[in-house]
Amino acid sequence: MMKPMIITRPARSLSTLRKLCAQTKKELEVKDYTGEHHKRAKRVYLWGNARTGALGVPKFLEPEKPDRSPVFTQSKPYNFHWPVRASFKVKHVAAGYGFTVYAGRSRDRSLVMVGCGINTDSQIGYHSDKGSPVDYVITPQFFELPISEEDGVVCRSVACGRAHTVIATNKAVFTLGNNVFGQCGRTVVEGEKYGGSRVIHTVERDDIIKAVCGYDHTLLLSADGSVYSCGLGTDGQTGLGNFECASTFTKLQGALVGKKIVDIDCKCDTVLAVSDEGEVFGWGNSEYGQFDIVTQDPQINTPTHLPISSICGKVEKVAAAATNCAIVNDRGEVYVWGYGVLGKGPKLQQSVEPELIPMTLFGMNTFSQDIRVEKVFSGVNCFAAVTNTKALYTWGKNAHGCLGLGHKNVQYFPFMVSVGSEVNDVACGADHVVTLCRSFV
């Protein structure tokens, strides 16, 4: 019996394959089917716990058809069409503990605020039904700030805590919701009822560029790189040198003196900050070893320098979750430390020093070697990262499917979320996530 003829070809080198790929791309005809004045659409994708109304999709909780069951968990990205229908251009978004706040522009380009979800402490403004305050708002509702349309107010940042909201604008900072620890930057009123409250406090500061809310405290970053805080301080999270509560915004000292801070982050009671020189500072809760690199104390009440530059290089972005921390350096690499799901597999549950997450987990490979992470965001027990290709990766604990991966299992490594658009910004709540995106075409 005649043996079949086997034809072999010499293996091509990797460099040859790259040249062939580049040549093929040049030879391919490119056709543009979009109009000359076409603009890519802005989109909002969200997912996670729908039970609280934080997703702002009424049909999840009140199905339009009688044969449909309520949707309490949305574990995949959902294209949120409400802003388009309401002629509302979203500019900023923040996700709290069961509620969401949007800042944007109306057709006349005036500042508009929108909220949905839990409202037991009026953290998304006063809303009523037949004269009675509403504790849960499942349909997005507008709420007003104490400004006039002629003020030319522009929102710079929005932040949400456990039950309070902070809105930083070019004119002032506005706070609303629970103030039992002074987290709204106003005097604590004994016995004050926050449900059904119409109080929106104004902080006369026009230089605030970013607001951050922990569980029950608030941080403000000014244009000159100073950090101010108020609220609950029992874990040192206010950074004011004590463990007391503070009801007025006070400038932080300690290791921040003489430093220009360019980014701050906090989701619970551990705080990270980074200077324009790429140095990292931390304060607050260290019960899970977040600051063991400098002290064994379970709390730090003063901003303290974290000597991690020799490991991470120059840091640009920081993210502080409940028990672990993450940073992005100027090479677009992500380092993590602390306790919990760090992103390097189930075997690494705790690390005192920053650990590098392999860039292959963010999409880097032989044919895509220019991948870098641009931003990192903290949830309570999870992280999200956006690359220079506008791809979104998430990892950590997956309560109510808040990672957007289509399941509710713990995710030990960064995994790309199938969002049908380029991701620009991410807001991680306690168990839901909202993203601001732009269509591919």
PDB file of all heavy atoms in Angstrom, residues 47-48 74-77 382-383 392-398 400-419 433:
ATOM      1  N   TRP A  47     -24.391  46.988  35.778  1.00  0.00           N
ATOM      2  CA  TRP A  47     -24.697  45.618  36.180  1.00  0.00           C
ATOM      3  C   TRP A  47     -24.549  45.473  37.690  1.00  0.00           C
ATOM      4  O   TRP A  47     -24.084  46.377  38.378  1.00  0.00           O
ATOM      5  CB  TRP A  47     -23.779  44.629  35.456  1.00  0.00           C
ATOM      6  CG  TRP A  47     -22.318  44.880  35.642  1.00  0.00           C
ATOM      7  CD1 TRP A  47     -21.512  44.433  36.655  1.00  0.00           C
ATOM      8  CD2 TRP A  47     -21.464  45.651  34.794  1.00  0.00           C
ATOM      9  NE1 TRP A  47     -20.224  44.863  36.492  1.00  0.00           N
ATOM     10  CE2 TRP A  47     -20.163  45.620  35.355  1.00  0.00           C
ATOM     11  CE3 TRP A  47     -21.664  46.369  33.608  1.00  0.00           C
ATOM     12  CZ2 TRP A  47     -19.077  46.270  34.768  1.00  0.00           C
ATOM     13  CZ3 TRP A  47     -20.582  47.013  33.037  1.00  0.00           C
ATOM     14  CH2 TRP A  47     -19.306  46.964  33.610  1.00  0.00           C
ATOM     15  N   GLY A  48     -24.961  44.313  38.200  1.00  0.00           N
ATOM     16  CA  GLY A  48     -24.856  44.040  39.633  1.00  0.00           C
ATOM     17  C   GLY A  48     -26.201  43.873  40.306  1.00  0.00           C
ATOM     18  O   GLY A  48     -27.171  43.384  39.699  1.00  0.00           O
ATOM     19  N   GLN A  74     -28.242  41.336  37.885  1.00  0.00           N
ATOM     20  CA  GLN A  74     -27.867  41.512  36.488  1.00  0.00           C
ATOM     21  C   GLN A  74     -26.353  41.335  36.408  1.00  0.00           C
ATOM     22  O   GLN A  74     -25.584  42.235  36.712  1.00  0.00           O
ATOM     23  CB  GLN A  74     -28.268  42.908  35.988  1.00  0.00           C
ATOM     24  CG  GLN A  74     -27.837  43.226  34.570  1.00  0.00           C
ATOM     25  CD  GLN A  74     -28.526  42.365  33.528  1.00  0.00           C
ATOM     26  OE1 GLN A  74     -29.665  41.908  33.728  1.00  0.00           O
ATOM     27  NE2 GLN A  74     -27.851  42.110  32.432  1.00  0.00           N
ATOM     28  N   SER A  75     -25.922  40.143  36.030  1.00  0.00           N
ATOM     29  CA  SER A  75     -24.498  39.817  36.091  1.00  0.00           C
ATOM     30  C   SER A  75     -23.740  40.127  34.809  1.00  0.00           C
ATOM     31  O   SER A  75     -22.528  39.945  34.754  1.00  0.00           O
ATOM     32  CB  SER A  75     -24.307  38.333  36.449  1.00  0.00           C
ATOM     33  OG  SER A  75     -24.901  37.502  35.469  1.00  0.00           O
ATOM     34  N   LYS A  76     -24.439  40.617  33.793  1.00  0.00           N
ATOM     35  CA  LYS A  76     -23.801  41.007  32.540  1.00  0.00           C
ATOM     36  C   LYS A  76     -24.069  42.486  32.275  1.00  0.00           C
ATOM     37  O   LYS A  76     -25.072  43.034  32.741  1.00  0.00           O
ATOM     38  CB  LYS A  76     -24.345  40.171  31.375  1.00  0.00           C
ATOM     39  CG  LYS A  76     -23.989  38.708  31.426  1.00  0.00           C
ATOM     40  CD  LYS A  76     -24.530  37.993  30.198  1.00  0.00           C
ATOM     41  CE  LYS A  76     -24.170  36.505  30.220  1.00  0.00           C
ATOM     42  NZ  LYS A  76     -24.691  35.797  29.017  1.00  0.00           N
ATOM     43  N   PRO A  77     -23.202  43.148  31.514  1.00  0.00           N
ATOM     44  CA  PRO A  77     -23.422  44.565  31.191  1.00  0.00           C
ATOM     45  C   PRO A  77     -24.766  44.788  30.510  1.00  0.00           C
ATOM     46  O   PRO A  77     -25.136  44.075  29.575  1.00  0.00           O
ATOM     47  CB  PRO A  77     -22.262  44.886  30.248  1.00  0.00           C
ATOM     48  CG  PRO A  77     -21.182  43.939  30.655  1.00  0.00           C
ATOM     49  CD  PRO A  77     -21.891  42.671  31.015  1.00  0.00           C
ATOM     50  N   CYS A 382     -13.414  44.365  45.401  1.00  0.00           N
ATOM     51  CA  CYS A 382     -13.038  44.057  44.025  1.00  0.00           C
ATOM     52  C   CYS A 382     -12.331  45.252  43.398  1.00  0.00           C
ATOM     53  O   CYS A 382     -12.316  46.355  43.957  1.00  0.00           O
ATOM     54  CB  CYS A 382     -14.264  43.665  43.203  1.00  0.00           C
ATOM     55  SG  CYS A 382     -15.487  45.001  43.038  1.00  0.00           S
ATOM     56  N   PHE A 383     -11.744  45.015  42.219  1.00  0.00           N
ATOM     57  CA  PHE A 383     -11.095  46.073  41.466  1.00  0.00           C
ATOM     58  C   PHE A 383     -11.534  46.031  40.013  1.00  0.00           C
ATOM     59  O   PHE A 383     -11.949  44.989  39.501  1.00  0.00           O
ATOM     60  CB  PHE A 383      -9.567  45.931  41.527  1.00  0.00           C
ATOM     61  CG  PHE A 383      -8.975  46.215  42.877  1.00  0.00           C
ATOM     62  CD1 PHE A 383      -8.541  45.174  43.684  1.00  0.00           C
ATOM     63  CD2 PHE A 383      -8.844  47.511  43.342  1.00  0.00           C
ATOM     64  CE1 PHE A 383      -7.984  45.420  44.927  1.00  0.00           C
ATOM     65  CE2 PHE A 383      -8.303  47.772  44.589  1.00  0.00           C
ATOM     66  CZ  PHE A 383      -7.868  46.729  45.385  1.00  0.00           C
ATOM     67  N   LEU A 392     -12.131  46.802  29.589  1.00  0.00           N
ATOM     68  CA  LEU A 392     -12.352  46.758  31.034  1.00  0.00           C
ATOM     69  C   LEU A 392     -12.078  45.366  31.575  1.00  0.00           C
ATOM     70  O   LEU A 392     -12.563  44.366  31.029  1.00  0.00           O
ATOM     71  CB  LEU A 392     -13.799  47.159  31.361  1.00  0.00           C
ATOM     72  CG  LEU A 392     -14.236  47.021  32.822  1.00  0.00           C
ATOM     73  CD1 LEU A 392     -13.449  47.988  33.713  1.00  0.00           C
ATOM     74  CD2 LEU A 392     -15.737  47.261  32.963  1.00  0.00           C
ATOM     75  N   TYR A 393     -11.289  45.310  32.661  1.00  0.00           N
ATOM     76  CA  TYR A 393     -10.996  44.053  33.348  1.00  0.00           C
ATOM     77  C   TYR A 393     -11.423  44.180  34.812  1.00  0.00           C
ATOM     78  O   TYR A 393     -11.237  45.232  35.427  1.00  0.00           O
ATOM     79  CB  TYR A 393      -9.506  43.723  33.278  1.00  0.00           C
ATOM     80  CG  TYR A 393      -9.020  43.382  31.888  1.00  0.00           C
ATOM     81  CD1 TYR A 393      -8.749  44.385  30.964  1.00  0.00           C
ATOM     82  CD2 TYR A 393      -8.842  42.060  31.500  1.00  0.00           C
ATOM     83  CE1 TYR A 393      -8.310  44.079  29.676  1.00  0.00           C
ATOM     84  CE2 TYR A 393      -8.406  41.737  30.223  1.00  0.00           C
ATOM     85  CZ  TYR A 393      -8.146  42.750  29.318  1.00  0.00           C
ATOM     86  OH  TYR A 393      -7.722  42.437  28.045  1.00  0.00           O
ATOM     87  N   THR A 394     -11.997  43.117  35.364  1.00  0.00           N
ATOM     88  CA  THR A 394     -12.405  43.120  36.763  1.00  0.00           C
ATOM     89  C   THR A 394     -11.911  41.861  37.458  1.00  0.00           C
ATOM     90  O   THR A 394     -11.675  40.829  36.819  1.00  0.00           O
ATOM     91  CB  THR A 394     -13.942  43.193  36.907  1.00  0.00           C
ATOM     92  OG1 THR A 394     -14.544  42.064  36.236  1.00  0.00           O
ATOM     93  CG2 THR A 394     -14.493  44.484  36.313  1.00  0.00           C
ATOM     94  N   TRP A 395     -11.754  41.956  38.774  1.00  0.00           N
ATOM     95  CA  TRP A 395     -11.397  40.792  39.584  1.00  0.00           C
ATOM     96  C   TRP A 395     -11.773  41.059  41.045  1.00  0.00           C
ATOM     97  O   TRP A 395     -11.961  42.191  41.461  1.00  0.00           O
ATOM     98  CB  TRP A 395      -9.921  40.452  39.449  1.00  0.00           C
ATOM     99  CG  TRP A 395      -8.941  41.433  40.020  1.00  0.00           C
ATOM    100  CD1 TRP A 395      -8.321  41.377  41.236  1.00  0.00           C
ATOM    101  CD2 TRP A 395      -8.431  42.622  39.390  1.00  0.00           C
ATOM    102  NE1 TRP A 395      -7.467  42.439  41.408  1.00  0.00           N
ATOM    103  CE2 TRP A 395      -7.508  43.227  40.289  1.00  0.00           C
ATOM    104  CE3 TRP A 395      -8.662  43.250  38.165  1.00  0.00           C
ATOM    105  CZ2 TRP A 395      -6.834  44.400  40.008  1.00  0.00           C
ATOM    106  CZ3 TRP A 395      -7.985  44.418  37.879  1.00  0.00           C
ATOM    107  CH2 TRP A 395      -7.077  44.986  38.776  1.00  0.00           C
ATOM    108  N   GLY A 396     -11.904  39.973  41.822  1.00  0.00           N
ATOM    109  CA  GLY A 396     -12.248  40.095  43.235  1.00  0.00           C
ATOM    110  C   GLY A 396     -13.494  39.313  43.584  1.00  0.00           C
ATOM    111  O   GLY A 396     -13.931  38.421  42.849  1.00  0.00           O
ATOM    112  N   LYS A 397     -14.071  39.660  44.716  1.00  0.00           N
ATOM    113  CA  LYS A 397     -15.324  39.030  45.119  1.00  0.00           C
ATOM    114  C   LYS A 397     -16.441  39.552  44.224  1.00  0.00           C
ATOM    115  O   LYS A 397     -16.439  40.704  43.807  1.00  0.00           O
ATOM    116  CB  LYS A 397     -15.609  39.312  46.594  1.00  0.00           C
ATOM    117  CG  LYS A 397     -14.621  38.627  47.532  1.00  0.00           C
ATOM    118  CD  LYS A 397     -14.994  38.803  48.999  1.00  0.00           C
ATOM    119  CE  LYS A 397     -14.020  38.058  49.905  1.00  0.00           C
ATOM    120  NZ  LYS A 397     -14.354  38.221  51.341  1.00  0.00           N
ATOM    121  N   ASN A 398     -17.420  38.696  43.982  1.00  0.00           N
ATOM    122  CA  ASN A 398     -18.377  38.956  42.902  1.00  0.00           C
ATOM    123  C   ASN A 398     -19.811  38.988  43.418  1.00  0.00           C
ATOM    124  O   ASN A 398     -20.701  38.351  42.842  1.00  0.00           O
ATOM    125  CB  ASN A 398     -18.211  37.874  41.828  1.00  0.00           C
ATOM    126  CG  ASN A 398     -18.829  38.252  40.507  1.00  0.00           C
ATOM    127  OD1 ASN A 398     -19.221  39.395  40.287  1.00  0.00           O
ATOM    128  ND2 ASN A 398     -18.936  37.284  39.618  1.00  0.00           N
ATOM    129  N   HIS A 400     -23.454  39.564  43.927  1.00  0.00           N
ATOM    130  CA  HIS A 400     -24.553  39.946  43.026  1.00  0.00           C
ATOM    131  C   HIS A 400     -24.072  40.148  41.592  1.00  0.00           C
ATOM    132  O   HIS A 400     -24.658  40.926  40.837  1.00  0.00           O
ATOM    133  CB  HIS A 400     -25.255  41.205  43.528  1.00  0.00           C
ATOM    134  CG  HIS A 400     -25.867  41.056  44.884  1.00  0.00           C
ATOM    135  ND1 HIS A 400     -27.120  40.509  45.091  1.00  0.00           N
ATOM    136  CD2 HIS A 400     -25.396  41.365  46.124  1.00  0.00           C
ATOM    137  CE1 HIS A 400     -27.395  40.499  46.378  1.00  0.00           C
ATOM    138  NE2 HIS A 400     -26.363  41.012  47.029  1.00  0.00           N
ATOM    139  N   GLY A 401     -23.002  39.469  41.204  1.00  0.00           N
ATOM    140  CA  GLY A 401     -22.509  39.587  39.832  1.00  0.00           C
ATOM    141  C   GLY A 401     -21.931  40.950  39.516  1.00  0.00           C
ATOM    142  O   GLY A 401     -21.942  41.377  38.359  1.00  0.00           O
ATOM    143  N   CYS A 402     -21.381  41.624  40.533  1.00  0.00           N
ATOM    144  CA  CYS A 402     -20.918  42.998  40.347  1.00  0.00           C
ATOM    145  C   CYS A 402     -19.678  43.115  39.462  1.00  0.00           C
ATOM    146  O   CYS A 402     -19.286  44.224  39.099  1.00  0.00           O
ATOM    147  CB  CYS A 402     -20.654  43.657  41.697  1.00  0.00           C
ATOM    148  SG  CYS A 402     -19.286  42.937  42.631  1.00  0.00           S
ATOM    149  N   LEU A 403     -19.057  41.983  39.093  1.00  0.00           N
ATOM    150  CA  LEU A 403     -17.910  42.036  38.195  1.00  0.00           C
ATOM    151  C   LEU A 403     -18.312  42.070  36.727  1.00  0.00           C
ATOM    152  O   LEU A 403     -17.481  42.304  35.850  1.00  0.00           O
ATOM    153  CB  LEU A 403     -16.969  40.850  38.451  1.00  0.00           C
ATOM    154  CG  LEU A 403     -16.363  40.761  39.854  1.00  0.00           C
ATOM    155  CD1 LEU A 403     -15.422  39.561  39.940  1.00  0.00           C
ATOM    156  CD2 LEU A 403     -15.618  42.041  40.207  1.00  0.00           C
ATOM    157  N   GLY A 404     -19.590  41.801  36.457  1.00  0.00           N
ATOM    158  CA  GLY A 404     -20.087  41.888  35.087  1.00  0.00           C
ATOM    159  C   GLY A 404     -19.637  40.761  34.183  1.00  0.00           C
ATOM    160  O   GLY A 404     -19.609  40.910  32.956  1.00  0.00           O
ATOM    161  N   LEU A 405     -19.294  39.615  34.751  1.00  0.00           N
ATOM    162  CA  LEU A 405     -18.742  38.506  33.981  1.00  0.00           C
ATOM    163  C   LEU A 405     -19.755  37.422  33.646  1.00  0.00           C
ATOM    164  O   LEU A 405     -19.402  36.380  33.096  1.00  0.00           O
ATOM    165  CB  LEU A 405     -17.562  37.890  34.744  1.00  0.00           C
ATOM    166  CG  LEU A 405     -16.424  38.865  35.065  1.00  0.00           C
ATOM    167  CD1 LEU A 405     -15.356  38.172  35.909  1.00  0.00           C
ATOM    168  CD2 LEU A 405     -15.818  39.426  33.795  1.00  0.00           C
ATOM    169  N   GLY A 406     -21.018  37.647  33.993  1.00  0.00           N
ATOM    170  CA  GLY A 406     -22.054  36.676  33.668  1.00  0.00           C
ATOM    171  C   GLY A 406     -22.220  35.577  34.688  1.00  0.00           C
ATOM    172  O   GLY A 406     -22.969  34.630  34.461  1.00  0.00           O
ATOM    173  N   HIS A 407     -21.509  35.672  35.825  1.00  0.00           N
ATOM    174  CA  HIS A 407     -21.651  34.687  36.890  1.00  0.00           C
ATOM    175  C   HIS A 407     -21.429  35.388  38.234  1.00  0.00           C
ATOM    176  O   HIS A 407     -21.140  36.598  38.271  1.00  0.00           O
ATOM    177  CB  HIS A 407     -20.659  33.535  36.714  1.00  0.00           C
ATOM    178  CG  HIS A 407     -19.228  33.964  36.705  1.00  0.00           C
ATOM    179  ND1 HIS A 407     -18.525  34.325  37.838  1.00  0.00           N
ATOM    180  CD2 HIS A 407     -18.341  34.118  35.675  1.00  0.00           C
ATOM    181  CE1 HIS A 407     -17.297  34.656  37.542  1.00  0.00           C
ATOM    182  NE2 HIS A 407     -17.148  34.553  36.232  1.00  0.00           N
ATOM    183  N   LYS A 408     -21.535  34.649  39.320  1.00  0.00           N
ATOM    184  CA  LYS A 408     -21.361  35.232  40.655  1.00  0.00           C
ATOM    185  C   LYS A 408     -20.225  34.572  41.429  1.00  0.00           C
ATOM    186  O   LYS A 408     -20.148  34.678  42.651  1.00  0.00           O
ATOM    187  CB  LYS A 408     -22.680  35.121  41.446  1.00  0.00           C
ATOM    188  CG  LYS A 408     -23.804  35.982  40.872  1.00  0.00           C
ATOM    189  CD  LYS A 408     -25.047  35.965  41.729  1.00  0.00           C
ATOM    190  CE  LYS A 408     -25.810  34.684  41.599  1.00  0.00           C
ATOM    191  NZ  LYS A 408     -27.110  34.710  42.326  1.00  0.00           N
ATOM    192  N   ASN A 409     -19.337  33.934  40.710  1.00  0.00           N
ATOM    193  CA  ASN A 409     -18.196  33.276  41.342  1.00  0.00           C
ATOM    194  C   ASN A 409     -17.075  34.273  41.617  1.00  0.00           C
ATOM    195  O   ASN A 409     -16.955  35.296  40.940  1.00  0.00           O
ATOM    196  CB  ASN A 409     -17.666  32.149  40.445  1.00  0.00           C
ATOM    197  CG  ASN A 409     -18.729  31.126  40.115  1.00  0.00           C
ATOM    198  OD1 ASN A 409     -19.567  30.803  40.956  1.00  0.00           O
ATOM    199  ND2 ASN A 409     -18.713  30.613  38.902  1.00  0.00           N
ATOM    200  N   VAL A 410     -16.233  33.949  42.598  1.00  0.00           N
ATOM    201  CA  VAL A 410     -15.058  34.770  42.866  1.00  0.00           C
ATOM    202  C   VAL A 410     -14.136  34.726  41.648  1.00  0.00           C
ATOM    203  O   VAL A 410     -13.910  33.664  41.059  1.00  0.00           O
ATOM    204  CB  VAL A 410     -14.308  34.264  44.113  1.00  0.00           C
ATOM    205  CG1 VAL A 410     -13.017  35.060  44.322  1.00  0.00           C
ATOM    206  CG2 VAL A 410     -15.191  34.373  45.346  1.00  0.00           C
ATOM    207  N   GLN A 411     -13.618  35.884  41.261  1.00  0.00           N
ATOM    208  CA  GLN A 411     -12.704  35.954  40.118  1.00  0.00           C
ATOM    209  C   GLN A 411     -11.299  36.252  40.630  1.00  0.00           C
ATOM    210  O   GLN A 411     -11.018  37.339  41.111  1.00  0.00           O
ATOM    211  CB  GLN A 411     -13.160  37.053  39.138  1.00  0.00           C
ATOM    212  CG  GLN A 411     -12.284  37.191  37.919  1.00  0.00           C
ATOM    213  CD  GLN A 411     -12.264  35.930  37.063  1.00  0.00           C
ATOM    214  OE1 GLN A 411     -13.284  35.277  36.875  1.00  0.00           O
ATOM    215  NE2 GLN A 411     -11.091  35.576  36.564  1.00  0.00           N
ATOM    216  N   TYR A 412     -10.415  35.249  40.527  1.00  0.00           N
ATOM    217  CA  TYR A 412      -9.085  35.362  41.126  1.00  0.00           C
ATOM    218  C   TYR A 412      -8.075  36.079  40.238  1.00  0.00           C
ATOM    219  O   TYR A 412      -7.027  36.492  40.713  1.00  0.00           O
ATOM    220  CB  TYR A 412      -8.558  33.974  41.485  1.00  0.00           C
ATOM    221  CG  TYR A 412      -9.300  33.329  42.636  1.00  0.00           C
ATOM    222  CD1 TYR A 412     -10.263  32.348  42.414  1.00  0.00           C
ATOM    223  CD2 TYR A 412      -9.048  33.714  43.949  1.00  0.00           C
ATOM    224  CE1 TYR A 412     -10.953  31.760  43.468  1.00  0.00           C
ATOM    225  CE2 TYR A 412      -9.726  33.135  45.008  1.00  0.00           C
ATOM    226  CZ  TYR A 412     -10.677  32.159  44.763  1.00  0.00           C
ATOM    227  OH  TYR A 412     -11.351  31.580  45.810  1.00  0.00           O
ATOM    228  N   PHE A 413      -8.377  36.208  38.952  1.00  0.00           N
ATOM    229  CA  PHE A 413      -7.494  36.902  38.031  1.00  0.00           C
ATOM    230  C   PHE A 413      -8.290  37.988  37.297  1.00  0.00           C
ATOM    231  O   PHE A 413      -9.509  37.866  37.131  1.00  0.00           O
ATOM    232  CB  PHE A 413      -6.927  35.943  36.979  1.00  0.00           C
ATOM    233  CG  PHE A 413      -6.134  34.805  37.537  1.00  0.00           C
ATOM    234  CD1 PHE A 413      -6.710  33.565  37.757  1.00  0.00           C
ATOM    235  CD2 PHE A 413      -4.792  34.975  37.828  1.00  0.00           C
ATOM    236  CE1 PHE A 413      -5.971  32.505  38.257  1.00  0.00           C
ATOM    237  CE2 PHE A 413      -4.041  33.921  38.332  1.00  0.00           C
ATOM    238  CZ  PHE A 413      -4.626  32.695  38.550  1.00  0.00           C
ATOM    239  N   PRO A 414      -7.647  39.046  36.831  1.00  0.00           N
ATOM    240  CA  PRO A 414      -8.346  40.017  35.987  1.00  0.00           C
ATOM    241  C   PRO A 414      -8.930  39.322  34.762  1.00  0.00           C
ATOM    242  O   PRO A 414      -8.252  38.512  34.112  1.00  0.00           O
ATOM    243  CB  PRO A 414      -7.235  41.001  35.584  1.00  0.00           C
ATOM    244  CG  PRO A 414      -6.238  40.903  36.690  1.00  0.00           C
ATOM    245  CD  PRO A 414      -6.256  39.464  37.112  1.00  0.00           C
ATOM    246  N   PHE A 415     -10.178  39.639  34.458  1.00  0.00           N
ATOM    247  CA  PHE A 415     -10.865  39.024  33.318  1.00  0.00           C
ATOM    248  C   PHE A 415     -11.612  40.123  32.574  1.00  0.00           C
ATOM    249  O   PHE A 415     -12.244  40.983  33.197  1.00  0.00           O
ATOM    250  CB  PHE A 415     -11.839  37.935  33.788  1.00  0.00           C
ATOM    251  CG  PHE A 415     -12.231  36.962  32.712  1.00  0.00           C
ATOM    252  CD1 PHE A 415     -11.498  35.813  32.486  1.00  0.00           C
ATOM    253  CD2 PHE A 415     -13.337  37.206  31.921  1.00  0.00           C
ATOM    254  CE1 PHE A 415     -11.860  34.915  31.495  1.00  0.00           C
ATOM    255  CE2 PHE A 415     -13.717  36.327  30.928  1.00  0.00           C
ATOM    256  CZ  PHE A 415     -12.978  35.171  30.708  1.00  0.00           C
ATOM    257  N   MET A 416     -11.540  40.092  31.259  1.00  0.00           N
ATOM    258  CA  MET A 416     -12.144  41.161  30.473  1.00  0.00           C
ATOM    259  C   MET A 416     -13.670  41.073  30.475  1.00  0.00           C
ATOM    260  O   MET A 416     -14.242  39.997  30.282  1.00  0.00           O
ATOM    261  CB  MET A 416     -11.646  41.132  29.032  1.00  0.00           C
ATOM    262  CG  MET A 416     -12.078  42.361  28.229  1.00  0.00           C
ATOM    263  SD  MET A 416     -11.270  42.505  26.616  1.00  0.00           S
ATOM    264  CE  MET A 416     -12.066  41.163  25.732  1.00  0.00           C
ATOM    265  N   VAL A 417     -14.309  42.218  30.708  1.00  0.00           N
ATOM    266  CA  VAL A 417     -15.764  42.307  30.714  1.00  0.00           C
ATOM    267  C   VAL A 417     -16.239  42.596  29.294  1.00  0.00           C
ATOM    268  O   VAL A 417     -15.689  43.469  28.608  1.00  0.00           O
ATOM    269  CB  VAL A 417     -16.246  43.423  31.659  1.00  0.00           C
ATOM    270  CG1 VAL A 417     -17.775  43.460  31.706  1.00  0.00           C
ATOM    271  CG2 VAL A 417     -15.677  43.202  33.058  1.00  0.00           C
ATOM    272  N   SER A 418     -17.247  41.878  28.854  1.00  0.00           N
ATOM    273  CA  SER A 418     -17.753  42.040  27.483  1.00  0.00           C
ATOM    274  C   SER A 418     -18.704  43.234  27.398  1.00  0.00           C
ATOM    275  O   SER A 418     -19.930  43.090  27.332  1.00  0.00           O
ATOM    276  CB  SER A 418     -18.461  40.758  27.030  1.00  0.00           C
ATOM    277  OG  SER A 418     -17.556  39.680  26.982  1.00  0.00           O
ATOM    278  N   VAL A 419     -18.115  44.414  27.431  1.00  0.00           N
ATOM    279  CA  VAL A 419     -18.882  45.645  27.256  1.00  0.00           C
ATOM    280  C   VAL A 419     -18.865  45.979  25.772  1.00  0.00           C
ATOM    281  O   VAL A 419     -17.807  45.983  25.148  1.00  0.00           O
ATOM    282  CB  VAL A 419     -18.270  46.800  28.072  1.00  0.00           C
ATOM    283  CG1 VAL A 419     -19.109  48.061  27.918  1.00  0.00           C
ATOM    284  CG2 VAL A 419     -18.151  46.409  29.532  1.00  0.00           C
ATOM    285  N   VAL A 433     -22.023  48.154  39.550  1.00  0.00           N
ATOM    286  CA  VAL A 433     -21.026  48.934  38.815  1.00  0.00           C
ATOM    287  C   VAL A 433     -21.711  49.681  37.674  1.00  0.00           C
ATOM    288  O   VAL A 433     -22.597  49.154  36.997  1.00  0.00           O
ATOM    289  CB  VAL A 433     -19.916  48.019  38.249  1.00  0.00           C
ATOM    290  CG1 VAL A 433     -18.990  48.792  37.309  1.00  0.00           C
ATOM    291  CG2 VAL A 433     -19.103  47.404  39.387  1.00  0.00           C
TER     292      VAL A 433
END
